[in-house]
Amino acid sequence: MIIAIDGPAGSGKSSTARAVAARLGAVYLDTGAMYRAVTLKALRLGVAHTDDEALAAVMRGTEIVFEGAPPDTRIIMDGEDVSRPVRTDEVTKSVSDYCARDVVRRALVEQQRKIAAGHTVVCEGRDICTVVFPNAEVKIYMTASVEERANRRQKDFAATGINKSLEELISEIETRDRKDSTRANSPLTKAEGAIEMDTTGMTLDEQIEFIARLANKYMS
Ligand code: DC
């Protein structure tokens, strides 16, 4: 069974998907982390997002795997645990440019399907219900107001000792939303048949319960 969750940055996808996967004993597949890992590697190598040839070489020469059961799943790139480095501001600001490239998306979508084959999976991203797993048993489009999403990001940053103003975060989120929803290749959009879930004002427990109930309905 596949539970597919799409939605914009900060809508609550990651924390909810991770917890639902832990509860169901499912594989947790964070596709955003994969796009972030490729971005990190390209930035380290000085490969521009417009250089398709060099990006193709990066895709061929990079191994991305997940280790550990949710909620403690880690992303490993070429043997290095990059779970923290992929969350830096630098990667966050550049990832929308790299993930829009055909050569990057083709390779990662193929890998995502391989990781999921034969498993119960909770998978989250931007094109999961529309492109990667359009036949997923449970499809969810998660949203929240931009103010709520900026608030959540501010708390996440504060936990790592970084202070950012809400205005700055709202502007960053809006820029990323715009890039992710207007790109030519697999833009973020609500898939046909996806259930819309607005998490503004919902607690994490309520979000987990909402999805677990949908999954249980399918399984029973
Ligand atoms: O969910 P996130 O913030 O970690 O995702 C990072 C970026 O990756 C986001 O700007 C959009 C992109 N992404 C994508 O294009 N397709 C996905 N399936 C997942 C993420």
Side-chain angles (χ1 to χ4, degrees), residues 180-197:
D180 292 340
S181 343
T182 57
R183 67 179 180 225
N185 193 339
S186 312
L188 169 65
T189 174
K190 182 176 166 228
E192 221 187 291
I195 294 168
E196 188 158 343
M197 180 179 167

Side-chain angles (χ1 to χ4, degrees), residues 6-10 13-14 30-33 35-36 86-87 92 95-96 99-100 105 112 124-128 132 153 176 180 183 185-186:
D6 286 327
K13 298 186 306 291
S14 295
D30 174 0
T31 62
Y35 289 98
R36 286 171 177 272
V86 297
R87 302 279 152 205
T92 301
V95 63
S96 289
C99 75
R105 300 205 74 83
Q112 288 153 16
E124 50 116 344
R126 303 292 190 288
D127 60 343
I128 310 306
V132 187
R153 286 277 143 161
R176 202 139 65 95
D180 292 340
R183 67 179 180 225
N185 193 339
S186 312

Side-chain angles (χ1 to χ4, degrees), residues 27 29-31 33-35 37-38 58-66 75-78 103-117 119 121 123 132-133:
V27 171
L29 182 48
D30 174 0
T31 62
M34 298 173 83
Y35 289 98
V38 169
V58 170
M59 299 315 293
R60 280 194 301 275
T62 306
E63 185 198 53
I64 296 172
V65 295
F66 290 94
I75 182 161
I76 314 293
M77 180 176 74
D78 301 332
V103 61
V104 172
R105 300 205 74 83
R106 236 179 297 124
L108 290 188
V109 168
E110 188 187 330
Q111 197 183 343
Q112 288 153 16
R113 291 180 179 145
K114 273 192 195 145
I115 292 173
H119 297 285
V121 181
C123 182
V132 187
F133 302 120

